[in-house]
Amino acid sequence: RKRATTTTSLISLTRASRIKKDTLLKRAFTLTFPSSSSCYSTRSLDRSVLKTTTSAIVFAQDNKNVIQQRRGFLTTITKPINMSSASSMSMRSSLTAVALKRRNVANVRSVNYAKARASTASSSSSPNNNNNKPVQSTTRKSLTLAAIAADKASSESMATMNAPSNLHGFELIKEEFVPEYNAKGFLFKHKKTGAELMSLSNDDENKSFGVTFRTPPANSTGIPHILEHSVLCGSRKYPIKEPFVELIKGSLNTFLNAMTYPDRTCYPVASCNLADFYNLVDVYLDAVFHPKCIENERTFEQEGWHYELNDKDEDLTYKGVVFNEMKGVYSSPDSVLARECQQALFPENTYGVDSGGSPEVIPDLTYSEFKDFHGKFYHPSNARLWFYGDDDVENRLKLLSGFLDEFDAKEVDSSIASQPFFKEPKRIVKTYASGEDEEAQKCFVQINWLLNDKPFDQETALAVGFLDNLLLGSSASPLRLALEESGLGEAIVGFGLEDELRQPSFAIGMKGVEEGDIPKV
């Protein structure tokens, strides 16, 4: 199972709709958590801010003794999750790619063109018209006009769509037509629990669903990550060992995954087959709200950690799916760099710990803490849900109400504290395990800026996004070009602009740097 810890949020629709500034400001359709809105105002990004929010990270090699000490717990390496590293950038857009960009307006027009072609094929199928160019030209014109008319009719149909008369326990908060995607959006709120649902309807047959919980960890024992694994190991309605594996083998899904971020956990699915799609939604909702893992400690031990002894003469060892996975992550220099930079930039809030789990402290997690974490955060009052595609809106509400109606409203404190600016820049030096060749003598250097004390407003986010693309977006971008041609390192590290956490940041640096060249970088 692929996992990431810094990828798509429920405001992906807003980002995907950045066609132009005026359109964005007028049509932003945003679903937010309390006290974590993406529409807060921001103060100007002047030089004084940048000077006081800088954190520089320098990595050097471990000495041989440290390598020998760590070799024991770095022995078993499984497929790692990418912890806030540059390589996890692709996962950030995976949810949006499935939910919004699989078929754009051109695809819709292509379908309408095909329908129009089929409807007029009989009028141009004479055996004597193969070389009749005027007839062919007229046919092409007719097809084009028919396609345009069909496309216009589809847009008008979506624009005039109304919410269903039976809302199944939901209330309509907002509705809006998004012409760029020929989609009608509804924002619903479940009356009993307060759960919010963003429902998007259009002509896309690739239907998508997701449920997200804000899950800020207080330490690095990896509770969100272990819970993400565990809830997919059987539920009240589907009490088999691993429903996730069975779905991978037998489902017609086009996307099926679960992802742990520094502050939230997401469960997205997608399928072009309606029956299969609703089955996926049913399995996932039952998994997150009624998992067997909160009744079966064996699942916690399997996915989290447990003692293992293969021979009476051997020492006890720690094993577990997440434990082994994170050992692999912690053996990757790039992952270590990304984690240390994030924790150095956010020392006073939840981003200062590792939501994926540190192998050194994962064994400190108890089963009681594990169950309490699920009871606190995996509740409809702390959930944000969304649907996308060509299925019926009322069916969506009916399916969700079957799960949400079992719960009552609950006050859940899952807010993310703001990280204050530093009074002066900080310089931090850390080490990572390496080999003994010449490459092991080289360092990682990265500079990080905390850009604001709250999320950007829409206009500033768009402006800073453009600036980030200008600086790093292509091989000809000035900052990227300067670093690559400097000869000071082997490759660029740092993700540039990171605006998917509560506070935006910017990071850039190089790896493979000689120790004497660190100040030059």
Side-chain angles (χ1 to χ4, degrees):
R1 281 178 267 176
K2 296 181 181 178
R3 291 180 175 82
T5 57
T6 57
T7 95
T8 314
S9 66
L10 286 176
I11 60 171
S12 295
L13 175 60
T14 301
R15 294 196 179 98
S17 300
R18 290 172 180 168
I19 308 301
K20 56 185 179 179
K21 173 182 171 183
D22 293 340
T23 301
L24 175 67
L25 296 178
K26 292 178 181 178
R27 295 175 180 154
F29 191 77
T30 317
L31 194 59
T32 61
F33 286 100
S35 305
S36 183
S37 172
S38 62
C39 299
Y40 287 137
S41 61
T42 181
R43 65 193 189 189
S44 60
L45 302 176
D46 55 25
R47 293 182 180 273
S48 62
V49 173
L50 296 180
K51 286 181 180 179
T52 60
T53 60
T54 308
S55 175
I57 306 288
V58 179
F59 269 31
Q61 66 176 50
D62 267 350
N63 59 41
K64 191 171 182 179
N65 292 334
V66 175
I67 296 173
Q68 292 293 339
Q69 293 171 6
R70 292 190 178 183
R71 189 164 292 165
F73 92 81
L74 293 175
T75 301
T76 305
I77 299 177
T78 59
K79 189 173 182 180
I81 63 171
N82 297 318
M83 298 292 296
S84 306
S85 66
S87 61
S88 71
M89 287 287 289
S90 61
M91 284 301 295
R92 295 184 191 157
S93 59
S94 63
L95 192 54
T96 305
V98 171
L100 297 175
K101 294 183 178 178
R102 192 169 180 89
R103 277 174 45 188
N104 56 22
V105 174
N107 296 129
V108 176
R109 288 176 176 169
S110 176
V111 172
N112 291 331
Y113 181 85
K115 292 178 180 177
R117 184 180 181 86
S119 66
T120 59
S122 59
S123 64
S124 59
S125 58
S126 172
N128 298 321
N129 69 353
N130 292 334
N131 298 317
N132 193 334
K133 293 183 179 180
V135 173
Q136 291 175 354
S137 177
T138 302
T139 301
R140 283 196 297 271
K141 184 177 180 180
S142 299
L143 290 172
T144 301
L145 292 174
I148 292 174
D151 188 49
K152 182 179 179 180
S154 176
S155 297
E156 291 176 351
S157 175
M158 285 296 170
T160 57
M161 176 185 289
N162 295 318
S165 56
N166 186 352
L167 297 182
H168 296 276
F170 286 84
E171 61 178 323
L172 179 62
I173 304 299
K174 181 180 180 181
E175 63 178 284
E176 189 170 335
F177 177 64
V178 185
E180 292 83 5
Y181 293 96
N182 189 30
K184 185 62 176 284
F186 298 102
L187 178 61
F188 296 104
K189 185 174 183 179
H190 190 244
K191 294 179 180 179
K192 189 176 180 183
T193 64
E196 292 185 7
L197 164 67
M198 183 169 66
S199 174
L200 291 168
S201 296
N202 60 13
D203 293 328
D204 197 342
E205 65 179 4
N206 189 45
K207 294 163 277 290
S208 317
F209 166 80
V211 54
T212 297
F213 302 94
R214 191 159 60 189
T215 52
N219 52 50
S220 296
T221 55
I223 302 182
H225 189 188
I226 296 172
L227 192 56
E228 176 234 305
H229 279 248
S230 301
V231 298
L232 297 175
C233 293
S235 62
R236 182 179 66 183
K237 194 173 180 180
Y238 304 96
I240 60 177
K241 184 177 180 181
E242 291 186 320
F244 185 87
V245 176
E246 298 303 319
L247 289 174
I248 291 176
K249 292 190 297 184
S251 169
L252 299 174
N253 72 84
T254 55
F255 190 85
L256 184 71
N257 212 334
M259 293 161 283
T260 301
Y261 302 109
D263 55 5
R264 59 196 180 275
T265 309
C266 302
Y267 298 88
V269 298
S271 179
C272 293
N273 181 280
L274 183 61
D276 180 63
F277 175 63
Y278 283 142
N279 182 63
L280 293 173
V281 174
D282 192 70
V283 172
Y284 263 46
L285 287 173
D286 198 61
V288 297
F289 290 124
H290 306 291
K292 299 295 289 184
C293 64
I294 61 174
E295 303 171 357
N296 184 5
E297 189 171 355
R298 291 291 182 90
T299 301
F300 165 75
E301 294 172 347
Q302 170 189 293
E303 300 297 325
W305 72 275
H306 61 271
Y307 293 111
E308 191 165 302
L309 181 65
N310 295 321
D311 188 272
K312 64 179 181 178
D313 297 325
E314 295 180 358
D315 293 332
L316 281 172
T317 58
Y318 293 121
K319 291 294 177 68
V321 175
V322 171
F323 180 82
N324 290 340
E325 191 174 320
M326 295 311 297
K327 282 166 60 177
V329 171
Y330 273 61
S331 68
S332 165
D334 292 88
S335 296
V336 173
L337 174 66
R339 181 181 63 255
E340 293 291 350
C341 287
Q342 177 180 301
Q343 294 180 0
L345 203 57
F346 298 96
E348 299 178 30
N349 65 12
T350 190
Y351 303 135
V353 299
D354 191 345
S355 63
S358 168
E360 294 182 351
V361 296
I362 286 177
D364 294 338
L365 178 61
T366 67
Y367 184 55
S368 176
E369 293 172 333
F370 174 81
K371 292 192 296 181
D372 290 345
F373 192 88
H374 178 272
K376 179 178 180 179
F377 294 115
Y378 277 61
H379 189 278
S381 298
N382 188 49
R384 300 295 183 268
L385 307 103
W386 55 269
F387 272 98
Y388 167 93
D390 61 0
D391 57 310
D392 183 68
V393 176
E394 184 174 349
N395 289 341
R396 298 172 175 179
L397 300 178
K398 183 178 180 180
L399 177 59
L400 289 179
S401 66
F403 287 93
L404 303 184
D405 288 348
E406 297 183 44
F407 297 86
D408 295 317
K410 177 181 178 181
E411 289 291 332
V412 181
D413 182 10
S414 60
S415 59
I416 309 297
S418 179
Q419 171 62 49
F421 290 135
F422 301 149
K423 295 182 179 180
E424 59 183 16
K426 293 184 179 181
R427 187 176 189 270
I428 299 173
V429 179
K430 296 288 185 177
T431 59
Y432 68 91
S434 67
E436 300 178 3
D437 55 10
E438 182 179 347
E439 295 298 318
Q441 308 302 317
K442 297 184 178 180
C443 305
F444 288 67
V445 182
Q446 183 167 305
I447 300 179
N448 311 269
W449 289 271
L450 184 62
L451 300 182
N452 202 38
D453 58 354
K454 60 184 68 173
F456 284 144
D457 63 75
Q458 297 291 352
E459 185 174 0
T460 304
L462 189 61
V464 177
F466 283 148
L467 180 61
D468 175 59
N469 188 62
L470 289 172
L471 291 173
L472 296 168
S474 72
S475 57
S477 298
L479 180 55
R480 178 175 171 182
L481 189 64
L483 289 171
E484 290 178 340
E485 294 184 349
S486 67
L488 296 174
E490 299 171 354
I492 294 176
V493 294
F495 42 77
L497 176 66
E498 168 59 84
D499 59 354
E500 294 191 355
L501 302 181
R502 188 181 187 278
Q503 293 172 257
S505 60
F506 187 91
I508 191 67
M510 300 194 77
K511 66 178 178 180
V513 179
E514 297 288 348
E515 188 172 355
D517 290 333
I518 290 177
K520 298 178 183 178
V521 175

